[in-house]
Amino acid sequence: MKLGAVIITMGNRPDELRALLDSVTAQHGDRIEVVVVGNGAPVPDVPAGVRTVELPENLGIPGGRNVGIEAFGPCGADVDALLFLDDDGLLPNRDTAELCRQAFEADPKLGIVTFRIADPQTGVTQRRHVPRLRAADPMRSSRVTTFLGGANAVRTKVIAEVGPLPEDFFYAHEETDLAWRALDAGWMIDYRADMVLNHPTTAPSRHAVYHRMVARNRVWLARRNLPAPLVPLYTGVWLLLTLVRRPSPPALKAWFGGFREGWTTPCGIRRPMKWRTVWRLTRLGRPPVI
């Protein structure tokens, strides 16, 4: 099974990027071809053999990754699966790529594998990095309903069948949008605790656009993918959860601005999932109302 890797960068972490690239090169098995996408910024110096694409403007996370996908041919067709890795991450184990190959080869319906993210200093995995509701034990692998954007592998047949990441999202929830489309098409997603990406512990709210994008894209996600009766239920549940979490007044103002934007702006093509997919998500432990 032929693997490629897509890494997007803003050019501001050259040392971390180089360490990540070295960890990809060190993987056991066949060589992994790598594409680094400069998302509105020059790409720092990279080792020989690493391809680069420099974009004149920042297209956001999904837009930058989609450019990386196309660098491997239409829908990434030149390879069998693509690793998507954050530029400040690191693969500490040399067998991660080989474990990916084995997982995909053993299960023809496995479409996406999401890795465990661990802090390089403490080894701790944040609860938000376990993509299921029962997240207390990050060392337990399981079938899941979404995946982690900067620590995963996607079979390129999935992209060819259901389409790429939603570029208009720019940041937040683009992975869940792709995951729901993949599940609706019959693919499966696995969280694998034995496939590790080291990444410093951070808060997602460090991004200035976090609260607005999270709220807007949550509404877009529902409008694009859910059966009509579930759209108000899903968005209503997340509205209540946000209020219960009591964000700061500026954060709440930004969140409500994004929530309003999600209802008043185009969300892209609407393709509601089948009701049997709703039941499948529910059986996997995450009904699409939360």
Side-chain angles (χ1 to χ4, degrees):
M1 173 167 260
K2 189 174 182 181
L3 299 181
V6 173
I7 302 164
I8 59 173
T9 183
M10 299 294 291
N12 55 352
R13 293 189 280 238
D15 294 339
E16 293 90 338
L17 174 62
R18 185 59 182 252
L20 171 63
L21 292 171
D22 289 345
S23 74
V24 173
T25 301
Q27 292 295 300
H28 295 316
D30 294 340
R31 176 178 174 271
I32 302 171
E33 186 176 352
V34 180
V35 170
V36 177
V37 178
N39 211 356
V43 176
D45 290 337
V46 296
V50 173
R51 289 192 289 157
T52 62
V53 180
E54 293 187 354
L55 303 177
E57 62 177 313
N58 182 358
L59 299 182
I61 293 173
R65 287 186 176 140
N66 285 345
V67 169
I69 292 169
E70 293 302 306
F72 289 93
C75 300
D78 294 345
V79 293
D80 298 302
L82 285 169
L83 308 179
F84 294 93
L85 306 170
D86 277 350
D87 68 341
D88 56 345
L90 182 83
L91 296 173
N93 303 324
R94 299 182 67 183
D95 64 347
T96 301
E98 199 60 25
L99 289 173
C100 283
R101 293 187 184 97
Q102 292 170 9
F104 285 128
E105 288 169 351
D107 185 354
K109 295 307 294 180
L110 179 62
I112 302 171
V113 176
T114 184
F115 306 162
R116 179 170 63 88
I117 295 179
D119 183 271
Q121 302 300 322
T122 65
V124 171
T125 296
Q126 292 179 274
R127 188 180 182 91
R128 69 185 181 90
H129 284 151
V130 183
R132 58 179 179 242
L133 291 179
R134 296 177 180 177
D137 182 8
M139 302 307 293
R140 178 174 67 86
S141 299
S142 69
R143 285 265 152 101
V144 290
T145 61
T146 188
F147 63 99
L148 307 172
N152 67 80
V154 179
R155 197 189 292 266
T156 52
K157 286 182 179 178
V158 173
I159 300 166
E161 182 174 352
V162 306
L165 295 158
E167 295 190 8
D168 289 344
F169 279 41
F170 196 84
Y171 166 80
H173 302 318
E174 66 273 5
E175 302 92 356
T176 301
D177 187 88
L178 178 59
W180 282 1
R181 287 183 280 131
L183 289 164
D184 197 46
W187 296 98
M188 300 301 295
I189 305 170
D190 278 357
Y191 167 74
R192 289 284 297 265
D194 56 339
M195 301 181 191
V196 181
L197 181 87
N198 279 352
H199 189 282
T201 297
T202 56
S205 55
R206 70 191 184 279
H207 299 290
V209 298
Y210 171 77
H211 294 287
R212 180 175 71 87
M213 294 289 190
V214 162
R216 183 197 69 182
N217 293 358
R218 184 79 70 182
V219 177
W220 279 359
L221 179 69
R223 290 174 59 200
R224 284 164 57 92
N225 295 288
L226 292 181
L230 296 185
V231 174
L233 184 58
Y234 179 85
T235 54
V237 166
W238 280 101
L239 171 61
L240 291 174
L241 283 173
T242 300
L243 295 175
V244 167
R245 291 169 177 172
R246 301 176 65 184
S248 67
L252 191 60
K253 181 180 179 181
W255 193 93
F256 271 110
F259 192 75
R260 187 183 312 110
E261 186 181 348
W263 290 107
T264 58
T265 55
C267 64
I269 299 173
R270 175 168 164 75
R271 295 191 179 96
M273 66 178 64
K274 308 172 191 72
W275 281 105
R276 68 169 176 262
T277 305
V278 172
W279 175 237
R280 194 167 164 218
L281 289 164
T282 303
R283 288 173 56 206
L284 288 169
R286 188 133 197 176
V289 294
I290 187 170

